Amino acid sequence: MTKFKPELIIWDYDGVLADSEKLWIKIWQNMLNENFDLGWDFETADKFLGGLAVKTKIKNLQKLGITIDDDFLRELKRRETYDIEHNLKATPGVEEILQQTKIPYCLATGGFLAKTEAKLKAMNFKKYFPDDHIFTAEQVEHGKPEPDLFLFSAKQMNALPQNTIVIEDSLPGLQAAQAAGMLPVAFVGSEMNCTPEYQQKVRELGVEHIFLTMKELSDFLKNIDK
C-alpha cells in the first residue's frame, strides 16, 4: 500500500462501533416471518438485508414481492428502541481509538438519523460524534453498496476521497468504500463476521486490511498516521 497521511476516518456503526447488526437483522427476520410467513432463518435474512440502508432493504424486499407499510415500520422502531435501551454495547477497545486517534473522523451509517442518535446516546458516544459529524443514508439517493454516502460524508468533512479511510464490517459497505476510491478497512470481530468463511468473502473483494480486534485496528491507524 502506498503510504499516505489520511485526512479522515469514516466509521460505520453497526458491526463496528457496536456488535449490533445481528440485533437489527434478527428483528427484521422475526417481523418478516410474523407478517409474511416467510420461514426465513437468520442467514437468509442477512443475505437480503445485511449491511444495507433501510430504504435499500425495503427495495430488496419489494423485488421479492414483499411490501413494507407504515405499521411494520412503527413496530420495527418499537422493537429496535427496546434493544437500543437494553442490549446495545460498544465494541471492546473502540472507545480508546476514538479518544486517542489524531485523525479526524465522522460516522456514516445506513440507519435513520433518529435511531443513530439514540444508539450513540445509549453508549455515551455522542461526545465523539457531534451533529455535523454524523451522516446517514437519508441524505443521499443511493445507499451502500453505492458510494454516495461516503462521498457525501468526505465532502462535508472537507476530505479528499483518496485520503479517506472507511472502517466497515459489511460486504456492501466495503464495496461502497472501494467505489468511492477510499481505503476500505474491514473490522470482522463481531459475532456474525468472525468466521474464516466471512473473512474469505472480504478477501475476495480485494480488501487488504482485515482486523479481528480493535487492538489490531488501533495499531494499524497509529502506523498509517506516521
Side-chain angles (χ1 to χ4, degrees), residues 2 47 59 79 86 115 132 137 172:
T2 302
K47 175 183 176 182
K59 287 180 181 179
R79 297 188 191 188
H86 295 87
K115 178 182 172 184
D132 59 355

Coordinates of all heavy atoms in Angstrom, one line a residue, residues 2 47 59 79 86 115 132 137 172:
T2 N 0.5 2.2 -0.8 CA 1.2 3.5 -0.9 C 1.0 4.2 0.4 O -0.1 4.3 0.9 CB 0.8 4.3 -2.0 OG1 1.0 3.6 -3.2 CG2 1.6 5.6 -2.1
K47 N -28.7 -12.4 4.2 CA -28.3 -12.4 2.8 C -29.0 -11.2 2.0 O -28.4 -10.6 1.2 CB -28.7 -13.7 2.1 CG -28.6 -13.8 0.6 CD -29.1 -15.1 0.1 CE -29.0 -15.1 -1.5 NZ -29.5 -16.4 -2.0
K59 N -36.4 -1.8 -0.7 CA -36.4 -2.0 -2.2 C -36.1 -3.5 -2.5 O -36.7 -4.1 -3.4 CB -35.3 -1.1 -2.8 CG -35.6 0.3 -2.9 CD -34.5 1.2 -3.5 CE -34.9 2.6 -3.6 NZ -33.8 3.4 -4.2
R79 N -39.4 -2.2 18.5 CA -38.5 -3.3 18.9 C -37.0 -2.8 18.9 O -36.3 -3.3 19.8 CB -38.7 -4.5 18.0 CG -40.1 -5.1 18.0 CD -40.2 -6.4 17.3 NE -41.6 -6.8 17.1 CZ -42.0 -8.0 16.6 NH1 -41.1 -8.8 16.3 NH2 -43.3 -8.3 16.5
H86 N -31.6 -1.7 26.0 CA -31.3 -2.8 26.9 C -30.1 -3.7 26.4 O -29.5 -4.4 27.3 CB -32.5 -3.7 27.0 CG -33.7 -3.1 27.7 ND1 -34.6 -2.4 27.1 CD2 -34.0 -3.0 29.0 CE1 -35.5 -1.9 27.9 NE2 -35.2 -2.3 29.1
K115 N -32.6 7.0 14.9 CA -32.1 5.8 15.5 C -30.6 5.9 15.8 O -30.1 5.4 16.9 CB -32.4 4.6 14.6 CG -31.8 3.3 15.1 CD -32.1 2.2 14.0 CE -31.4 0.9 14.4 NZ -31.6 -0.1 13.4
D132 N -22.7 17.6 13.3 CA -22.1 17.8 11.9 C -21.0 16.8 11.6 O -20.4 16.9 10.5 CB -21.5 19.2 11.8 CG -20.4 19.5 12.8 OD1 -20.1 18.6 13.7 OD2 -19.8 20.6 12.7
A137 N -27.9 7.5 5.4 CA -28.4 7.2 4.0 C -29.6 8.1 3.7 O -29.9 8.2 2.5 CB -28.7 5.8 3.9
P172 N -21.4 -4.9 1.5 CA -21.9 -3.7 0.8 C -21.1 -2.5 1.2 O -20.8 -1.6 0.4 CB -23.4 -3.7 1.1 CG -23.8 -5.1 1.5 CD -22.6 -5.6 2.2

